[in-house]
Amino acid sequence: MAHRNITSLLGLDLPIFQAPIGNIAGSELAIAVSSGGALGALALTWATPEVARQKIFQIRAATQNPFQVNFVLAFPPHALAAALEAGAPIITFSWGDPTPYLPQVRASGARVGMQVTNIAGAQLAMSLGVDFMICQGVEAGGHVQSTTELWELLPRVVEVAKEIPVVAAGGIGNGMAIAKAFSLGASGVMLGTRFAATQESEAHPLYKQALVEGSAQETALTVCFEGGWPYAAHRVLRNPTLEAWEAVGSPPVGQRPNEGEIIVRTDQGKSIARYDDTTPRAGMTGKILEMCLYAGTSCEAIQDIPPVKEVIERLWLEYQSIASSSVS
């Protein structure tokens, strides 16, 4: 099966990847995912080199299993050198051309993956000789690079990728979606929203519960929560902030209703304003459900907030059941 290609390539037990879900993807979550035989992830785009080293050392001290660190190339990857020096085994890049950074990554011996969202991106990744591609569909939560539905895009990317493994991402939250991705040629699957709603996630409890209660129809692809990353669409759960903004015609930055209003404070006293793109984390207080609630369409499949180990086991059992049924 195709998924065996990527498990052997990266040293995984299972071809399940955690998406690098911003500031709620802490070391504890990555450790739990990797310890469960899948691939944990850290989002280090905005981390200082010192913080990057600390988090990677924490993971390496807790598990010998591989994990990935991600850099969004819409911003300079200031912590890349530190991540490689600390021993990050797998680097993934999104939202940009990783060409300038590949010699540095390869010199360290790390594997490299690149997120692609169209045929041109897949062709670029192919020409760069990346170890694997991440094919993101527009169903994904968080900042969404893609404009195409995953099931339409995935087989086209797989065809371009040839022997390079492709990881499917966007709207995947159960065994049925995993089986569909494999049937279309994916070697692995990446899940973000499902791992956000786990006990080890650093997401705020009210945010986790909102993911449990949410549905695909209640997500919106928008530019409402710009927060310093212009022109980057993001998929979120609908909430009062988004509804009020849309009600007056979705005005630009500087003209949004109640812009600048402080709605949340962190446990360290930092103020979070309305329309900020920060994800609600544990310890924050205030109008949590009026913050930016990133969610993919896969929230439809989320019914609880279990430990990561249980999520991984459940997903794989669901997939195996579907796969065996289709064979028989």
Side-chain angles (χ1 to χ4, degrees):
M1 291 186 176
H3 61 73
R4 292 175 183 159
N5 297 338
I6 204 156
T7 53
S8 60
L9 175 71
L10 301 181
L12 305 174
D13 294 332
L14 298 172
I16 296 174
F17 290 53
Q18 172 211 329
I21 45 179
N23 67 333
I24 61 172
S27 301
E28 183 181 0
L29 179 59
I31 290 167
V33 175
S34 288
S35 297
L39 189 72
L42 286 176
L44 295 183
T45 303
W46 299 275
T48 65
E50 293 74 20
V51 168
R53 288 190 191 93
Q54 179 186 22
K55 289 186 174 183
I56 291 170
F57 288 152
Q58 286 174 343
I59 297 174
R60 294 188 67 197
T63 178
Q64 296 182 341
N65 292 347
F67 58 94
Q68 62 150 321
V69 302
N70 172 260
F71 292 94
V72 172
L73 295 181
F75 304 87
H78 293 304
L80 176 59
L84 294 171
E85 290 166 7
I90 301 167
I91 306 292
T92 61
F93 294 107
S94 55
W95 287 86
D97 181 355
T99 301
Y101 310 106
L102 293 184
Q104 185 179 6
V105 174
R106 289 186 173 124
S108 75
R111 297 288 189 180
V112 60
M114 177 179 167
Q115 181 169 284
V116 302
T117 57
N118 61 16
I119 299 306
Q123 290 171 336
L124 173 61
M126 187 78 175
S127 70
L128 294 175
V130 300
D131 294 297
F132 61 97
M133 301 183 199
I134 302 161
C135 175
Q136 186 201 53
V138 73
E139 301 91 339
H143 289 91
V144 184
Q145 184 180 332
S146 183
T147 58
T148 308
E149 291 184 359
L150 177 63
W151 307 129
E152 176 186 344
L153 180 63
L154 178 58
R156 295 161 58 198
V157 168
V158 168
E159 183 178 4
V160 172
K162 300 185 187 306
E163 298 303 315
I164 296 177
V166 176
V167 177
I172 297 174
N174 56 25
M176 183 176 296
I178 294 173
K180 186 171 183 178
F182 288 159
S183 74
L184 294 175
S187 295
V189 291
M190 181 174 283
L191 298 83
T193 306
R194 174 64 274 191
F195 283 120
T198 58
Q199 292 182 15
E200 292 88 347
S201 154
E202 295 185 11
H204 194 282
L206 291 177
Y207 173 33
K208 293 181 185 182
Q209 188 59 35
L211 293 174
V212 171
E213 296 173 1
S215 67
Q217 291 72 28
E218 292 172 295
T219 69
L221 188 65
T222 181
V223 292
C224 176
F225 299 92
E226 193 229 63
W229 189 353
Y231 313 115
H234 36 274
R235 186 175 296 280
V236 298
L237 288 174
R238 290 193 167 277
N239 67 3
T241 300
L242 176 60
E243 296 291 341
W245 176 71
E246 289 184 339
V248 294
S250 306
V253 175
Q255 301 177 31
R256 297 174 293 187
N258 299 313
E259 191 164 353
E261 175 191 3
I262 302 303
I263 60 172
V264 168
R265 295 191 185 277
T266 70
D267 53 1
Q268 298 178 333
K270 179 183 176 182
S271 299
I272 306 294
R274 194 176 297 278
Y275 300 107
D276 194 289
D277 62 355
T278 299
T279 315
R281 285 169 53 100
M284 291 181 174
T285 56
K287 300 177 181 178
I288 299 299
L289 296 180
E290 297 185 24
M291 294 179 69
C292 180
L293 307 176
Y294 295 123
T297 59
S298 61
C299 65
E300 186 87 26
I302 297 174
Q303 306 297 326
D304 55 4
I305 308 169
V308 161
K309 184 175 186 291
E310 183 178 329
V311 168
I312 294 172
E313 291 174 350
R314 186 190 305 170
L315 288 169
W316 198 246
L317 284 172
E318 288 175 358
Y319 158 69
Q320 288 182 316
S321 176
I322 292 166
S324 61
S325 297
S326 63
V327 170
S328 58

